[in-house]
Amino acid sequence: MRPTSSPSTAPVGAADAGRPADPRRPRRFGWPRRVFSQVLLMQLLIVLGVTVLATGLFLAPLSAQLDDQAMRRALAIAETTASAELAADLTASRPSPDGPVQAEADRIRRETGAEYVVVMDRQGVRWSHTDPAQIGRTVSTDPSAALAGRDLMEIDSGTLGRSARGKVPLRDERGDIVGAVSVGIEYDSVRARLLSAIPGLLAYAGGALAVGALAAYLISRRLQRQTHDLAFSDIAALLAEREAMLHGIREGVLALDRTGSIRLLNDEAQRLLGLGPGHTGRPLEEALGAGRTTDVLAGRVTGEDLVAVRGQRVLIVNRMPTDDGGAVATLRDRTELEKLGRELDATRGLIDALRAQDHEHANRMHTLLGLLELEMYGEAVEFVTEVAGVHRATAEQVTEKVRDPLLAALLVGKATVAAERGVSLRIAPCTLLPDRLVEPRELVTVVGNLVDNAVDAAAGTPEATVEVELRAEGRTALLRVADSGPGVPADRRELVFTEGWSTKDRPAHGGRRGLGLALVRRLAERQGGTAAVAEAAAGGAEFTVALPEALTAAGSDADADSDERAPSDPPARCEPSAPAPGGAR
């Protein structure tokens, strides 16, 4: 037969699916999951175990101490009883309930509270006993030790039950042993003393247990607040997720403790800041050095999406304080975006230059058309010849002074844009730069930033001019850009090189201002050079940049001649020169 299923064999999960829990079903108690509960339970178990152990360790020697005290008391009573007078009565009489030995022993028993006082002769025959019927009989325990002259203390059982005993020899006036004295202290009284001490001891132990439990609860509550009442498994899972997140995200994460030391660095933060795992635990200033990046990460500069420059990287930094006095900072690499923004600015400049050339070309075409309509053919030929010759001559002037094609093209384009804005861009007469730059693009970046800033500053001023000077001094490239703008106040001449500082409006493409001059200085300092600003002769600003090792060694006669003609002094102001091609009309 095919087996049939029964309700008893159905899976528990299937049977209970969708069914509310039965409140009468007993709860299963197991080991708690929360850190707070586990720590509290472990601490309570430890406190309870220590209390029980301490109580037991105290009771064990207390019982032995009470036994020792009872035996010593019995021995002291026996020694007091074993007098020479009692020995004389023993040798002068017979064992009898009415005899002098029994009377003396009974008197001592009543006065000391002993359970019994037994006096015996050398044969072990009792001469006194609590039970008169036992007088004349042999003792139930071995008296040989006492009859041999030794004192004895013991816990033993006899005719009256278990007792603490003391036995001593009985000597006459000559010191001869004539018998022995045995004194017993009821053991139930010793046990009663022990039991009477237990309630007080348990009270102290209970008080200590209560204090320990309260301390354990307070510590566990503090731990609960610090761990947000999470379970150990949750903490382990959070740690694993944290490690995966920190090393997987494309943003840098840097954590600082309350002292300003680096507590955590993920892989991206190490890449962006140029640090390594060995920098963890070191102060921020020691790891990064002084500068705006350190100030932003340390919280000395506040705000959202703060700009910082680290090496050649443009970083966006956000900092969030933590409850323990530290902070967590996130870093985003905006280098490529800023590069794209600058390329967009360059494209806009090129468009402006083309627009200006188109405007100028349209004017010339209109002039040429007018001459042709007036049938002034000779004048038209002269006009075309003059325009073409001027452009060819002025472009040749730039390339003659600036031998690098990238820089020459940059200056020609900037001159056209400057002219459209009413600014005359001039090349200083002493400009002479050979075509042996190591990294032409870096110098293009420096010249482009400085010329753009100078044109912006000079635009709108009377007789707006910008003068550019480029010279070679050995392997050092010297650059000077002066404008006729308002200039830079003396107290802000260092501030202008700070990342994020600018007086211009935010660009249309959403980029950030205040990076150009910062990058110029960083590039100069990276090559061991300098970048500074001073007052120009015309009253505006004059930026000077020195880039050591920017040129290769002279390898030709032309280069050597160029170096000989280059002045050896720092950049000096040249006499005003004619405007560059495309200058203000």
Side-chain angles (χ1 to χ4, degrees):
M1 292 179 60
R2 181 176 299 174
T4 60
S5 61
S6 63
S8 60
T9 60
V12 176
D16 294 341
R19 183 184 304 173
D22 188 357
R24 295 172 298 176
R25 181 179 298 175
R27 292 184 60 186
R28 293 182 178 180
F29 294 95
W31 189 255
R33 296 179 63 250
R34 303 292 181 185
V35 175
F36 160 74
S37 303
Q38 291 192 26
V39 173
L40 177 60
L41 182 58
M42 287 188 291
Q43 288 181 331
L44 289 178
L45 291 177
I46 292 173
V47 171
L48 179 61
V50 171
T51 303
V52 171
L53 180 61
T55 303
L57 292 176
F58 182 80
L59 287 176
L62 177 62
S63 177
Q65 184 179 7
L66 292 177
D67 291 346
D68 184 70
Q69 289 179 356
M71 290 187 295
R72 290 185 180 279
R73 180 178 171 223
L75 183 64
I77 296 173
E79 290 176 344
T80 303
T81 303
S83 61
E85 291 79 4
L86 185 62
D89 293 338
L90 179 68
T91 56
S93 62
R94 302 287 297 174
S96 171
D98 300 326
V101 175
Q102 170 66 9
E104 180 66 15
D106 193 54
R107 181 187 68 81
I108 294 175
R109 180 184 64 81
R110 291 193 303 269
E111 291 180 353
T112 59
E115 183 181 13
Y116 63 85
V117 177
V118 175
V119 180
M120 67 192 79
D121 58 14
R122 292 189 60 85
Q123 284 74 36
V125 177
R126 300 187 184 97
W127 286 64
S128 65
H129 197 274
T130 303
D131 183 8
Q134 298 294 331
I135 297 175
R137 296 180 181 180
T138 305
V139 295
S140 59
T141 58
D142 184 13
S144 58
L147 294 176
R150 298 192 302 272
D151 295 342
L152 179 66
M153 295 187 302
E154 62 181 354
I155 303 293
D156 202 356
S157 298
T159 57
L160 297 179
R162 191 171 180 81
S163 60
R165 304 181 178 188
K167 297 179 181 180
V168 297
L170 178 62
R171 301 177 185 273
D172 58 12
E173 293 181 350
R174 295 177 298 180
D176 296 334
I177 298 175
V178 296
V181 177
S182 176
V183 176
I185 302 297
E186 185 179 6
Y187 195 74
D188 289 340
S189 63
V190 177
R191 183 180 301 172
R193 290 182 61 191
L194 177 62
L195 294 178
S196 64
I198 290 178
L201 179 61
L202 292 179
Y204 284 113
L209 181 61
V211 173
L214 178 61
Y217 176 76
L218 295 177
I219 294 174
S220 300
R221 286 289 297 175
R222 184 171 185 269
L223 184 62
Q224 182 185 26
R225 290 192 299 269
Q226 291 181 340
T227 59
H228 301 284
D229 199 22
L230 294 175
F232 279 112
S233 58
D234 296 335
I235 295 177
L238 286 175
L239 181 60
E241 294 169 359
R242 166 182 171 272
E243 290 298 318
M245 179 184 66
L246 288 177
H247 296 288
I249 61 176
R250 296 299 299 168
E251 287 191 2
V253 178
L254 179 142
L256 303 173
D257 59 19
R258 66 178 61 190
T259 63
S261 297
I262 299 175
R263 183 164 52 191
L264 180 143
L265 272 173
N266 72 340
D267 298 340
E268 185 67 8
Q270 294 178 21
R271 185 182 71 85
L272 295 178
L273 297 175
L275 303 178
H279 289 89
T280 303
R282 296 171 60 181
L284 186 63
E285 287 77 6
E286 179 183 339
L288 296 180
R292 176 178 169 83
T293 304
T294 302
D295 293 338
V296 170
L297 293 175
R300 291 188 285 269
V301 178
T302 59
E304 296 181 356
D305 292 340
L306 297 174
V307 179
V309 177
R310 179 69 177 174
Q312 293 299 306
R313 299 187 183 278
V314 179
L315 307 177
I316 302 300
V317 182
N318 284 282
R319 186 179 187 273
M320 178 65 66
T322 56
D323 295 336
D324 60 354
V328 175
T330 59
L331 304 98
R332 286 173 288 164
D333 190 358
R334 291 288 297 267
T335 306
E336 294 299 325
L337 186 59
E338 292 296 331
K339 181 179 179 181
L340 291 175
R342 291 184 178 279
E343 291 180 356
L344 180 58
D345 288 340
T347 304
R348 288 178 179 272
L350 179 60
I351 294 174
D352 292 340
L354 291 176
R355 185 183 296 111
Q357 290 183 356
D358 178 68
H359 178 68
E360 184 177 4
H361 181 71
N363 290 334
R364 290 168 178 171
M365 289 298 100
H366 292 159
T367 303
L368 180 60
L369 179 61
L371 291 174
L372 293 177
E373 289 180 350
L374 295 174
E375 297 181 355
M376 301 175 65
Y377 303 114
E379 287 79 357
V381 173
E382 292 179 1
F383 177 74
V384 172
T385 303
E386 179 183 357
V387 170
V390 168
H391 274 277
R392 183 166 52 252
T394 51
E396 290 177 354
Q397 290 176 5
V398 174
T399 56
E400 181 181 356
K401 292 179 177 294
V402 180
R403 307 289 177 81
D404 184 81
L406 291 179
L407 278 176
L410 174 70
L411 291 174
V412 171
K414 294 294 184 183
T416 303
V417 176
E420 183 69 14
R421 299 183 61 182
V423 179
S424 175
L425 179 63
R426 302 174 181 273
I427 305 298
C430 53
T431 294
L432 184 60
L433 187 68
D435 183 16
R436 47 188 179 88
L437 293 174
V438 177
E439 290 290 342
R441 295 183 182 274
E442 293 186 355
L443 193 54
V444 166
T445 300
V446 174
V447 174
N449 283 321
L450 294 181
V451 170
D452 287 343
N453 289 339
V455 171
D456 290 340
T461 62
E463 298 183 359
T465 58
V466 172
E467 185 177 73
V468 179
E469 176 186 347
L470 283 164
R471 293 190 293 115
E473 189 173 283
R475 296 187 60 185
T476 301
L478 303 175
L479 168 64
R480 181 177 64 86
V481 178
D483 62 69
S484 60
V488 179
D491 57 343
R492 295 189 176 184
R493 290 177 181 172
E494 285 299 318
L495 191 61
V496 296
F497 293 101
T498 304
E499 304 98 283
W501 190 92
S502 178
T503 59
K504 302 177 185 177
D505 296 331
R506 191 182 183 93
H509 58 75
R512 286 172 169 77
R513 296 291 190 184
L515 297 178
L517 293 178
L519 289 174
V520 167
R521 171 165 280 188
R522 287 296 179 88
L523 191 147
E525 291 178 348
R526 191 184 69 174
Q527 297 186 9
T530 59
V533 60
E535 184 178 358
E542 180 180 273
F543 288 85
T544 57
V545 177
L547 300 176
E549 309 298 325
L551 293 91
T552 59
S556 65
D557 296 338
D559 292 336
D561 294 340
S562 299
D563 293 341
E564 290 176 0
R565 286 179 288 175
S568 58
D569 296 331
R573 297 182 181 90
C574 300
E575 294 298 327
S577 61
R585 292 181 297 277

